[in-house]
Amino acid sequence: MPTKSTYDPEILPNLLPAYYKYLFPFNPYCTWLRYGVAQKSYFSLREFSFTLKDDVYIRYQSFNDQKELETEICSICPYKIDVGAVFSHKPKMYKTIKANSFVAEEKELVFDIDMTDYDDVRNCCSGAQICKKCWPLMIIAIKILDKALRDDFGFDHLLWIYSGRRGVHCWVCDSTARKLTPNGRAAIAEYLSVVKGGENNLKKVVLQEPIHPFIERSVEIIEEYFEGYALVDQDILRSENINEIINLIPEKNRNDNLQKVLLSANNSISRWNILTKELERPGVHAGRVLKEIMLQYCYPRLDVNVSKGLNHLLKSPFSVHPKTGRVCIPIDPTDVENFDPFTVPTISQLIDEINTTSENEENLKIKDYKRTSLKEGVEIFENFLKKLKKTWEGAMIKESDLKMEL
């Protein structure tokens, strides 16, 4: 059994050298970012940024190959690694390039879902805190967005990553996604944005008839979790919250005695059943309002700015979250219900495991990270890479065939 160990942020500088030397999966990581592109310079045009001790932030770092990147990371041991765009020139040369010539040309289409954006609908936690009662929001987000990006936009290569603390990231890695313009990215993000409006906006979801099939499909996914998550764990119709729900219902659809009727029941499940009957009674037919409430409380909250900008940085897979010590590992979207953020390995645990297996492991040819709790996350990443490789290998064969024809 793996050795469990607690994490103390103060000892992070002592653990990072061993983590980067033995555990960071540089080979598959760099294979991913090369994308099998024929031009050797492609990888060297990618921006990396590093956060060092005391929040020292270094942008526009770039490397010619895996060896250079690995040497630098093992040398400076960054607290955090961020990945940016592929630029027109090597990012490390940006000071020598005219500003209007140094432009971001490609980047994965990315989505950042952060639990703090749900604070107005979470009853259990707030801010950076998460618990088992609110984590289903991330499961719902992954299921809805993964299906929409695949079915509605035709993307195949989605890399889902746990952020290490309170959310998840999605990297859409298809060639067509990487080449999208800011307008194209914004259009996709806007299509997926259902919850809109700031803190002062009480009603954040307004549906139009007929309801779009994408919205209907999203509601079906939410319905799988709504009773257990929203009505039991979050208790959204608890007595002190009833008026908030009632205020989401247009006055024309409200029974004047609705508050009294709802309070006649003693739990959120019973109250939701009453509300459903009230809004679907003859002459009202406000089932759409029920869907608006479900979406407001459960639909993914998106930051459009993160997705539309090519120059936006996002925390790298396999980076270590400095506050929690947890590794930003891949999530299998087909098995997302079984992903538990509270069992994600910490750097302390991994170093303990590598020390133990180094003493006992007979076959030392096995990669170090595959002798620890990091193994499952790396294998999910490698399976993602296998499918991705087929696309660029196919593209290279096609390109070769065209050259032969010429």
Side-chain angles (χ1 to χ4, degrees), residues 7 12 15-16 19 320 325-327 345-351:
Y7 170 73
L12 181 62
L15 302 176
L16 284 170
Y19 175 74
V320 176
R326 299 201 184 281
V327 179
T346 64
I347 185 172
S348 306
Q349 175 186 331
L350 292 170
I351 299 304

Side-chain angles (χ1 to χ4, degrees), residues 19-72:
Y19 175 74
Y20 287 127
K21 183 176 181 181
Y22 299 110
L23 296 171
F24 193 95
F26 283 104
N27 190 42
Y29 179 80
C30 292
T31 299
W32 165 47
L33 293 175
R34 281 194 296 267
Y35 285 104
V37 176
Q39 64 201 68
K40 291 183 179 180
S41 62
Y42 186 82
F43 182 82
S44 68
L45 297 173
R46 172 78 69 167
E47 179 191 0
F48 295 88
S49 83
F50 302 128
T51 304
L52 309 181
K53 188 179 179 182
D54 300 323
D55 290 326
V56 174
Y57 188 54
I58 309 172
R59 275 203 72 170
Y60 300 116
Q61 303 299 292
S62 58
F63 306 91
N64 289 322
D65 52 31
Q66 177 183 329
K67 186 178 179 181
E68 273 193 17
L69 174 68
E70 189 169 346
T71 299
E72 180 67 6

Side-chain angles (χ1 to χ4, degrees), residues 108-365:
E108 296 78 5
L109 172 63
V110 297
F111 296 91
D112 182 359
I113 301 101
D114 194 318
M115 196 74 86
T116 56
D117 294 327
Y118 294 84
D119 277 0
D120 61 315
V121 293
R122 285 197 294 167
N123 183 40
C124 52
C125 303
S126 63
Q129 298 173 320
I130 64 168
C131 71
K132 290 184 182 293
K133 287 186 176 182
C134 56
W135 185 255
L137 286 168
M138 295 296 111
I139 296 174
I140 293 168
I142 291 174
K143 285 198 157 194
I144 287 176
L145 296 179
D146 192 82
K147 189 162 184 60
L149 289 164
R150 293 179 193 277
D151 291 1
D152 298 353
F153 294 97
F155 296 128
D156 293 315
H157 305 288
L158 278 61
L159 179 61
W160 287 96
I161 302 289
Y162 171 51
S163 72
R165 191 176 195 183
R166 59 177 183 255
V168 295
H169 301 153
C170 179
W171 301 72
V172 186
C173 300
D174 299 63
S175 177
T176 50
R178 303 198 311 271
K179 296 178 189 303
L180 281 168
T181 63
N183 286 341
R185 294 164 193 268
I188 293 172
E190 288 291 349
Y191 173 90
L192 296 170
S193 295
V194 174
V195 181
K196 299 180 179 181
E199 292 180 12
N200 298 323
N201 231 27
L202 180 64
K203 189 172 176 64
K204 294 183 171 69
V205 177
V206 179
L207 300 179
Q208 303 298 324
E209 298 282 2
I211 298 174
H212 194 284
F214 156 62
I215 301 294
E216 293 283 19
R217 194 174 64 225
S218 299
V219 171
E220 288 175 8
I221 291 171
I222 289 170
E223 284 175 335
E224 295 176 39
Y225 299 89
F226 191 73
E227 181 175 310
Y229 163 72
L231 301 180
V232 176
D233 288 343
Q234 297 300 322
D235 195 17
I236 66 169
L237 278 164
R238 59 194 179 278
S239 299
E240 64 270 26
N241 202 54
I242 279 180
N243 279 334
E244 280 193 32
I245 301 289
I246 291 175
N247 288 334
L248 297 177
I249 303 169
E251 288 187 16
K252 64 179 181 179
N253 301 131
R254 290 185 209 166
N255 178 336
D256 291 339
N257 296 318
L258 185 56
Q259 182 185 34
K260 186 176 180 181
V261 172
L262 290 175
L263 285 171
S264 67
N266 59 11
N267 61 64
S268 283
I269 294 177
S270 300
R271 289 169 180 171
W272 182 259
N273 290 335
I274 291 170
L275 186 62
T276 299
K277 290 176 183 176
E278 284 288 322
L279 293 178
E280 292 181 346
R281 72 184 191 277
V284 178
H285 304 298
R288 172 177 55 81
V289 177
L290 291 169
K291 292 175 182 177
E292 290 174 343
I293 294 170
M294 293 171 73
L295 290 162
Q296 178 149 336
Y297 274 81
C298 300
Y299 187 86
R301 307 286 179 102
L302 301 178
D303 184 340
V304 174
N305 291 324
V306 170
S307 301
K308 73 180 184 182
L310 269 79
N311 206 20
H312 194 282
L313 294 157
L314 191 62
K315 190 189 300 173
S316 170
F318 300 104
S319 188
V320 176
H321 195 292
K323 296 285 178 63
T324 65
R326 299 201 184 281
V327 179
C328 302
I329 60 170
I331 300 170
D332 180 355
T334 66
D335 192 36
V336 64
E337 292 96 341
N338 291 319
F339 178 83
D340 184 350
F342 304 102
T343 61
V344 170
T346 64
I347 185 172
S348 306
Q349 175 186 331
L350 292 170
I351 299 304
D352 283 352
E353 289 174 6
I354 200 67
N355 288 337
T356 302
T357 56
S358 293
E359 294 171 4
N360 302 328
E361 183 68 58
E362 291 182 8
N363 185 7
L364 295 178
K365 292 181 180 179

